[in-house]
Amino acid sequence: MSDGRLCARDVRVEFSGLRALDCVTLELARGEIVGLIGPNGSGKTTLVNAITRQVPLAAGEVSVDGASLSGLRPHEVARRGIARSFQIVRLFDHLTVAENVEAAALAQGLGRRAAQGRVGALLAEFGLARQAETLAAALSYGDKRRVEIARALAAEPSFLILDEPAAGMNEGESEVLLSLLSRLPAERKLGLLIIDHDMPLIMRLCHRLHVLASGRTIAEGDVESVRRNPAVIEAYLGSAAEAGHA
Ligand SMILES: Nc1ncnc2c1ncn2[C@@H]1O[C@H](COP(=O)(O)OP(=O)(O)O)[C@@H](O)[C@H]1O
Ligand SMILES: [Mg+2]
């Protein structure tokens, strides 16, 4: 039975004594866009890594449609319908754009012809058709970011997690990204979890926000209530003050 939900419940992650996450519970339904925000070092990437089993959980559980992901390897998590991008771009530099996206479709067990069909459609949708035969290494930063997202979508995931997709993009590139991302959940019936520091982008894109500070959830809810939440304001002012003294 499918309830169309990704659920991380009471998650704790520790790195040699440091508690990077504690008691974090986050749900993502298909069709919705949730923003995961918080100061640097608050545990956002670690939560994504915990969901995709790239770091071990010290406590808690992650499930998809009610089925636990415990004991699965990262590639098995992908087969349960969770795709992600990384904070640092991870493309195969020596492969073309089309080959990068095709590799993800083939990894899902798709035949070559079906994979190529899927790749063509994705590159067209992402405005990358003209660069299909370009080596990934030669792309602009914004284009690399879009290839990463196209590659994640090649697996036709139910849940897409993007770790700072707009980092390093200029304003025009962020606008293009925003309009691409805003369509995805409804068109593909997928749940989108997005981490980004571009607050105007996050506020316009997301249906709901989840805020971490020092590894704990300090607020969650709709964009307006989170924006006005005193704990959130303080967490951001605190980190801005620290940055000022650094
Ligand atoms: N692999 C790791 N080993 C040790 N400490 C880590 C590791 N990954 C993250 N951390 C620590 O966990 C905390 C949360 O980091 P991270 O999840 O990357 O934060 P964010 O993505 O919110 O900036 C930080 O204190 C960071 O130094
Ligand atoms: Mg991070």
Side-chain angles (χ1 to χ4, degrees):
M1 225 186 57
S2 165
D3 62 358
R5 227 165 248 281
L6 170 64
C7 184
R9 186 167 291 127
D10 295 331
V11 169
R12 184 196 302 157
V13 173
E14 289 171 350
F15 295 114
S16 49
L18 171 85
R19 197 163 279 194
L21 284 178
D22 198 18
C23 267
V24 173
T25 292
L26 181 149
E27 282 196 24
L28 179 66
R30 295 184 75 164
E32 76 171 338
I33 309 181
V34 174
L36 178 59
I37 63 172
N40 270 330
S42 57
K44 304 179 298 294
T45 296
T46 301
L47 180 56
V48 176
N49 287 338
I51 290 171
T52 57
R53 315 306 290 196
Q54 265 128 350
V55 300
L57 274 64
E61 188 178 59
V62 179
S63 63
V64 171
D65 297 344
S68 173
L69 303 184
S70 303
L72 297 190
R73 313 276 304 258
H75 70 275
E76 295 169 319
V77 171
R79 295 207 166 178
R80 297 288 182 92
I82 303 175
R84 69 171 296 185
S85 73
F86 291 87
Q87 190 166 350
I88 313 282
V89 177
R90 290 193 189 176
L91 291 175
F92 299 116
D93 272 347
H94 58 287
L95 296 184
T96 66
V97 166
E99 286 165 344
N100 264 281
V101 179
E102 192 184 331
L106 293 173
Q108 282 305 103
L110 224 61
R112 183 140 208 139
R113 185 166 302 175
Q116 283 171 347
R118 200 182 277 180
V119 171
L122 274 169
L123 294 187
E125 182 180 346
F126 278 72
L128 291 163
R130 281 193 314 145
Q131 283 112 308
E133 301 309 321
T134 304
L135 287 183
L139 295 175
S140 73
Y141 189 76
D143 285 348
K144 283 186 183 174
R145 282 287 181 194
R146 275 184 298 144
V147 174
E148 269 215 311
I149 299 169
R151 185 173 63 172
L153 288 172
E156 301 206 321
S158 305
F159 303 97
L160 176 64
I161 308 178
L162 302 177
D163 196 350
E164 302 201 18
M169 283 190 173
N170 63 38
E171 216 168 297
E173 289 172 327
S174 302
E175 273 308 308
V176 171
L177 182 71
L178 179 74
S179 66
L180 272 172
L181 294 182
S182 58
R183 299 200 302 262
L184 289 181
E187 279 179 10
R188 295 171 180 266
K189 295 198 169 41
L190 61 76
L192 174 61
L193 180 66
I194 177 169
I195 298 175
D196 214 90
H197 290 292
D198 182 340
M199 281 308 134
L201 178 133
I202 286 288
M203 304 265 174
R204 284 164 67 196
L205 181 64
C206 295
H207 305 141
R208 212 151 58 70
L209 297 180
H210 189 110
V211 192
L212 294 178
S214 306
R216 287 176 170 272
T217 300
I218 59 163
E220 54 188 316
D222 65 85
V223 171
E224 263 318 301
S225 69
V226 165
R227 196 216 290 263
R228 289 194 306 262
N229 186 307
V232 176
I233 294 166
E234 196 188 310
Y236 274 93
L237 288 177
S239 68
E242 269 167 39
H245 289 296

